[in-house]
Amino acid sequence: MNNTSTFQLDGTDVPFESGQTVMQAALAAGHYIPHLCYHPEFKPHGSCKLCTVKVGGRTAASCTMPAEAGLEIESDIEELNALRRTLVQMLFAEGNHFCPSCEKSGNCMLQALGYDLEVHTAGFRHMYPDRPLDASHPDILLDFNRCILCELCVRASSEVDGKNVFALAGRGITKHLIVNARSGLLNDTNIALTDKAMEVCPVGVILKKRVGFKQPIGERRYDKRPISAQALDDAPRAPSGAKHE
Amino acid sequence: MTNIIDTLETAEHPETLRRVAIDPVSRVEGHGKVTLLLDENDHIHQVRLHIVEFRGFEKFIQGRPYWEAPVMVQRLCGICPVSHHLAASKAMDMIVGATLTPTAEKVRRLMHYGQMLQSHALHFFHLCSPDLLFGFDSDVAKRNIVGIAAAYPEIAKQGVLLRKYGQEVIRVTAGKRIHGTGSIPGGVNKNVSIEERDYLLKDIEQIVAWSRESVGIAQKLFEKNLDLYNSFGRFKAHTLNLVRDDGAMDLYHGGLRARDMDGNTLFDHYDYSHYWDVIFEDVKPWSYMKFPFLRSIGPEQGWYRVGPLTRVTQCDFIPTPLAEQARKEFLAFNGGSAAGATLGFHWARMIEMLHSAEQIRELLHDPDLQGTDLVTKGQRQERGVGVIEAPRGTLIHHYKVDEHDQIIRCNLIVSTTHNNQAMNEGIRQVARQYLDGRKLTEGLLNHIEVAIRAFDPCLSCATHALGKMPLEVELVDAEGTMISTLSRSMDGAFSYQNDNLATD
């Protein structure tokens, strides 16, 4: 490895391949950078801002920033972690995230980040939005209360499933997830349990019905290791489940 | 006057009376109070235990998917969440049309007996032993678990370790000591591994032995204070409990048995999935808690008592040998007097703790715990009812689920609700016996708390209060003018706004 193919992340040399982003190279090398809207199988989105790093004193989203040789990047520093903590607090305050009875608990990235970033208080007044469930589909439940607008389901349905089942509507604070049906109900879409869109939700919005809580405590993804110790699980990989050219 | 004193629920002319309030009483999830109405001669005309808390679980579970209920509704309580976890699961078993596999039922039973053990140990040792071992009006500075640890270190240690063991049983079966997820509609999500079984087995003989000693402690307390324990807050009540098909005590499952206060059977082995045909809930304007009653007797006289005292006295036998022997001795004691005494609750509770320890020992030797057939389902149903004998008494969960798997109706009748009128009767008796016509003191106030505690109503803050719950007693005259205030802070310190009140 020579100097032209590495950059520094928090003082450590990180190798990269041509075309990789800072996030991809860091994860592939086992260095965790917090993220929510990034997924190794999809094009970077750059919306959640959890992966913000400092490069030469300026901030950038590491999931969209191309890796370059010789960059000196700061990520795991209190200044940035404090901002990430605030972002996570805002996400919790915007939705209705009731972890104690959520079936995604232990497998939820937002919850795992909350623990990892040591979010001990709400920080903001909860907005308690009114977001009724969509339970119309016989096998799939949509619990909009937990949506963080990462658009992973939108991208998965569009790019992999070729269906465009999901989209975001509205602007600003009224932005929300919708489904592509005149009735507005999931049952009137062509979603299927085998769709990629069923796999990618980082929180507990898109759920297979009647299987909640079947995985015992202790066996869930973040029961075993904190999210920051699971960088390699999110390292770059080829898209799986593609049904659409 | 005789009539008023007989009932003490509603005074004829409350506007002429002084009001004394114990608010809050750290009993029911932290939000309960007792009010007394007194005349100028300190005679009591009205006594009410108010449950002023509004929990709302029945409402906000609506719209949620049914498989969430066992996990969400258990958050009602931090003391006996397993009871709600299992009652909701049993209701959801009906919803999914499941008949449990032996492994699933036995893992759930193990979880439940662990719950019963830890809850009963917590109540007897941590919350009540200071009253029982030191005296109801003993030095308030010592009347707590720290005082017990200093004066009776071995008893305090046993209490702590008994509870710890029960919590470990829950952790192994539910995944967490509090608010686990082990029980799911149609079964459980894990079995008990050989390693987990062996971990629990290594201490179970000691737990059974300590539970036997605990029954002995409760019995000795009765023997040493026979007149007090026999008469304190004593009243007759109808009863309701679950029993197994053969009439045995069964804390996890069975049919409903109700008997009137004279011991006549009103119904037996009644299928609880139609409980509303035999039980109804009355509403009173002064309390958020409903007043359930037996339909066949009616709302005025149909209230009943649930919990350990009812279960131990109304079952035909206990299906474990040590607890059954203890039950026989309890029923035979002093011509049967303990079986009708409010403080008999404590003795009965320890018998149940022994039964639970014996059941845990039996289950740990059962290879079905290591089975891998964990979940079943069958014909989907619209309505589900789950009933269980929780540490504090019969617990009813009732749900209706629509075709989209969403809960559209929920009714919970928790143990403390069943005992609502019975607890009111208990404190009215104590008020008649000890408070009527006397100046109020902290020790006298504690008599009211002792009566409430006997029922072990479900209140999480009592777990922390240990006899030092904040209390404020206000004397207000008929015009609403404050005469004096007696306050007890969280640290047990007393303060007086004037010296009109006597102290002990």
Side-chain angles (χ1 to χ4, degrees):
Chain A
M1 198 66 65
N2 58 49
N3 285 338
T4 58
S5 60
T6 65
F7 61 85
Q8 282 216 322
L9 177 64
D10 294 327
T12 304
D13 284 340
V14 176
F16 67 93
E17 296 170 12
S18 176
Q20 278 189 322
T21 62
V22 169
M23 171 74 84
Q24 287 172 326
L27 293 173
H31 301 289
Y32 179 72
I33 298 176
H35 57 268
L36 279 170
C37 71
Y38 165 81
H39 188 285
E41 298 178 27
F42 296 100
K43 288 177 193 161
H45 196 254
S47 65
C48 77
K49 303 300 179 192
L50 261 292
C51 73
T52 298
V53 293
K54 287 184 83 170
V55 187
R58 304 181 71 170
T59 57
S62 61
C63 72
T64 56
M65 182 178 184
E68 287 181 34
L71 289 178
E72 293 185 0
I73 300 173
E74 293 176 292
S75 176
D76 189 15
I77 56 174
E78 181 50 28
E79 176 191 349
L80 289 174
N81 286 335
L83 292 171
R84 291 170 178 144
R85 206 172 289 130
T86 302
L87 286 171
V88 170
Q89 285 176 321
M90 290 164 74
L91 288 171
F92 272 107
E94 269 183 20
N96 297 310
H97 298 275
F98 188 59
C99 300
S101 67
C102 178
E103 63 189 89
K104 200 66 181 280
S105 184
N107 289 315
C108 172
M109 286 184 79
L110 181 65
Q111 182 194 46
L113 273 172
Y115 281 123
D116 208 62
L117 292 167
E118 299 185 338
V119 178
H120 297 306
T121 61
F124 298 93
R125 187 187 295 250
H126 285 278
M127 298 172 72
Y128 300 116
D130 183 18
R131 299 180 185 169
L133 308 193
D134 181 346
S136 61
H137 194 283
D139 298 314
I140 301 167
L141 177 74
L142 292 183
D143 190 338
F144 297 107
N145 290 291
R146 302 158 181 161
C147 186
I148 56 171
L149 307 176
C150 68
E151 291 195 77
L152 276 170
C153 59
V154 178
R155 286 179 274 166
S157 185
S158 169
E159 296 172 22
V160 180
D161 304 327
K163 293 184 176 179
N164 293 311
V165 169
F166 297 101
L168 295 188
R171 296 180 66 82
I173 197 64
T174 66
K175 184 176 276 191
H176 60 285
L177 186 66
I178 58 169
V179 299
N180 185 14
R182 198 173 287 276
S183 65
L185 296 174
L186 190 68
N187 193 39
D188 294 327
T189 71
N190 56 349
I191 193 169
L193 277 174
T194 52
D195 284 358
K196 187 69 181 174
M198 289 297 301
E199 301 173 16
V200 295
C201 182
V203 290
V205 178
I206 305 171
L207 301 163
K208 184 180 177 187
K209 279 187 171 180
R210 299 177 289 278
V211 296
F213 307 104
K214 283 196 175 173
Q215 193 176 22
I217 291 170
E219 296 181 15
R220 303 169 306 183
R221 179 175 176 184
Y222 302 115
D223 289 339
K224 297 168 184 170
R225 288 176 298 152
I227 191 168
S228 56
Q230 301 190 30
L232 290 174
D233 293 11
D234 283 344
R237 60 177 183 245
S240 62
K243 302 168 197 167
H244 177 66
E245 291 302 318
Chain B
M1 174 63 89
T2 304
N3 189 35
I4 293 169
I5 286 292
D6 276 348
T7 65
L8 287 185
E9 179 176 318
T10 304
E12 286 188 8
H13 298 289
E15 69 281 2
T16 65
L17 300 169
R18 279 185 298 142
R19 177 174 175 273
V20 178
I22 304 174
D23 184 10
V25 175
S26 58
R27 278 298 156 185
V28 263
E29 304 292 351
H31 294 85
K33 65 178 177 181
V34 173
T35 57
L36 312 168
L37 293 187
L38 308 155
D39 64 19
E40 66 273 15
N41 296 317
D42 295 313
H43 289 298
I44 295 172
H45 290 250
Q46 178 176 302
V47 182
R48 289 174 174 175
L49 169 61
H50 306 253
I51 312 303
V52 295
E53 186 168 27
F54 182 73
R55 300 284 280 165
F57 273 75
E58 292 169 337
K59 182 65 182 172
F60 60 68
I61 193 72
Q62 289 177 11
R64 301 305 308 172
Y66 71 77
W67 53 90
E68 217 174 73
V71 176
M72 175 184 268
V73 178
Q74 66 174 336
R75 295 276 169 170
L76 266 167
C77 182
I79 304 172
C80 64
V82 167
S83 310
H84 293 287
H85 187 51
L86 293 178
S89 296
K90 289 178 75 177
M92 295 313 154
D93 293 344
M94 282 181 69
I95 295 289
V96 301
T99 301
L100 294 192
T101 65
T103 297
E105 178 168 336
K106 287 172 184 176
V107 170
R108 282 193 191 176
R109 280 182 177 273
L110 182 60
M111 190 191 305
H112 190 44
Y113 292 124
Q115 157 81 358
M116 199 64 75
L117 183 80
Q118 71 85 15
S119 178
H120 281 359
L122 169 74
H123 181 260
F124 185 75
F125 290 98
H126 295 66
L127 301 182
C128 291
S129 69
D131 293 328
L132 305 177
L133 294 175
F134 291 140
F136 304 167
D137 52 3
S138 59
D139 179 3
V140 68
K142 292 180 182 168
R143 202 195 309 139
N144 51 55
I145 189 64
V146 177
I148 290 291
Y152 305 96
E154 195 55 32
I155 288 178
K157 178 182 149 194
Q158 287 179 18
V160 169
L161 293 179
L162 279 163
R163 177 158 192 263
K164 180 185 176 188
Y165 185 84
Q167 295 285 69
E168 284 299 283
V169 173
I170 295 169
R171 183 184 62 77
V172 163
T173 50
K176 285 165 65 185
R177 291 176 188 85
I178 302 173
H179 300 139
T181 63
S183 184
I184 57 177
V188 293
N189 66 15
K190 72 182 290 290
N191 63 9
V192 176
S193 69
I194 296 287
E195 293 74 25
E196 290 168 333
R197 180 201 67 187
D198 291 346
Y199 167 69
L200 294 174
L201 269 175
K202 78 180 158 56
D203 291 327
I204 187 60
E205 295 301 334
Q206 180 66 74
I207 294 302
V208 172
W210 280 343
S211 297
R212 286 187 82 177
E213 288 177 27
S214 303
V215 175
I217 294 170
Q219 179 169 351
K220 282 197 185 74
L221 285 166
F222 244 93
E223 290 168 350
K224 281 176 65 178
N225 310 282
L226 191 57
D227 289 343
L228 172 66
Y229 275 57
N230 268 338
S231 63
F232 184 85
R234 189 184 188 94
F235 62 93
K236 292 180 78 174
H238 313 312
T239 58
L240 179 79
N241 59 304
L242 285 179
V243 288
R244 204 166 71 181
D245 288 347
D246 58 0
M249 171 184 281
D250 192 332
L251 302 173
Y252 176 76
H253 191 66
L256 289 169
R257 168 179 285 178
R259 288 185 172 143
D260 70 16
M261 62 178 64
D262 297 316
N264 301 308
T265 300
L266 300 170
F267 50 84
D268 206 0
H269 304 295
Y270 192 84
D271 178 1
Y272 64 62
S273 63
H274 295 278
Y275 72 90
W276 55 85
D277 287 335
V278 290
I279 299 167
F280 202 71
E281 293 176 283
D282 198 13
V283 175
K284 303 202 178 194
W286 51 271
S287 176
Y288 284 128
M289 188 150 72
K290 292 176 182 175
F291 288 75
F293 63 89
L294 299 164
R295 277 183 185 269
S296 61
I297 300 179
E300 291 301 319
Q301 302 298 325
W303 57 271
Y304 50 89
R305 189 192 63 210
V306 300
L309 185 60
T310 292
R311 293 187 294 239
V312 169
T313 58
Q314 300 306 314
C315 70
D316 297 340
F317 65 99
I318 297 179
T320 53
L322 297 176
E324 172 61 4
Q325 181 60 33
R327 185 190 72 93
K328 287 176 176 169
E329 290 168 9
F330 175 68
L331 293 181
F333 178 77
N334 193 37
S337 69
T342 292
L343 292 178
F345 259 107
H346 297 295
W347 190 345
R349 196 169 282 118
M350 291 302 93
I351 293 171
E352 286 193 343
M353 187 168 79
L354 175 58
H355 170 58
S356 299
E358 289 183 283
Q359 289 280 26
I360 290 169
R361 178 169 64 184
E362 191 177 313
L363 282 165
L364 288 176
H365 287 101
D366 191 325
D368 279 342
L369 285 186
Q370 282 79 51
T372 54
D373 197 1
L374 303 181
V375 185
T376 58
K377 64 179 179 181
Q379 184 69 36
R380 180 81 148 65
Q381 305 294 319
E382 183 183 52
R383 189 189 301 275
V385 179
V387 179
I388 198 165
E389 283 294 342
R392 290 148 189 84
T394 314
L395 170 65
I396 299 174
H397 278 218
H398 178 190
Y399 303 88
K400 196 172 176 189
V401 178
D402 70 10
E403 69 276 19
H404 300 303
D405 299 324
Q406 288 177 285
I407 294 168
I408 54 175
R409 183 177 180 276
C410 169
N411 188 36
L412 311 174
I413 310 180
V414 303
S415 319
T416 301
T417 310
H418 292 293
N419 274 335
N420 195 359
Q421 186 66 20
M423 286 190 293
N424 272 287
E425 287 300 315
I427 62 171
R428 282 168 196 151
Q429 278 294 351
V430 169
R432 288 184 193 103
Q433 289 173 298
Y434 298 98
L435 274 67
D436 192 47
R438 299 177 64 182
K439 290 288 183 195
L440 290 178
T441 66
E442 190 282 333
L444 286 177
L445 276 179
N446 192 49
H447 281 63
I448 294 237
E449 294 180 26
V450 168
I452 299 172
R453 280 190 193 112
F455 291 85
D456 187 15
C458 182
L459 50 118
S460 51
C461 77
T463 308
H464 315 295
L466 307 171
K468 286 185 176 180
M469 63 279 276
L471 289 174
E472 187 160 290
V473 180
E474 299 171 351
L475 283 184
V476 182
D477 68 16
E479 282 73 44
T481 306
M482 183 84 72
I483 298 172
S484 60
T485 305
L486 168 62
S487 301
R488 184 168 66 193
S489 64
M490 285 296 284
D491 61 6
F494 281 87
S495 60
Y496 304 91
Q497 212 161 37
N498 63 33
D499 57 1
N500 285 351
L501 292 173
T503 60
D504 61 350

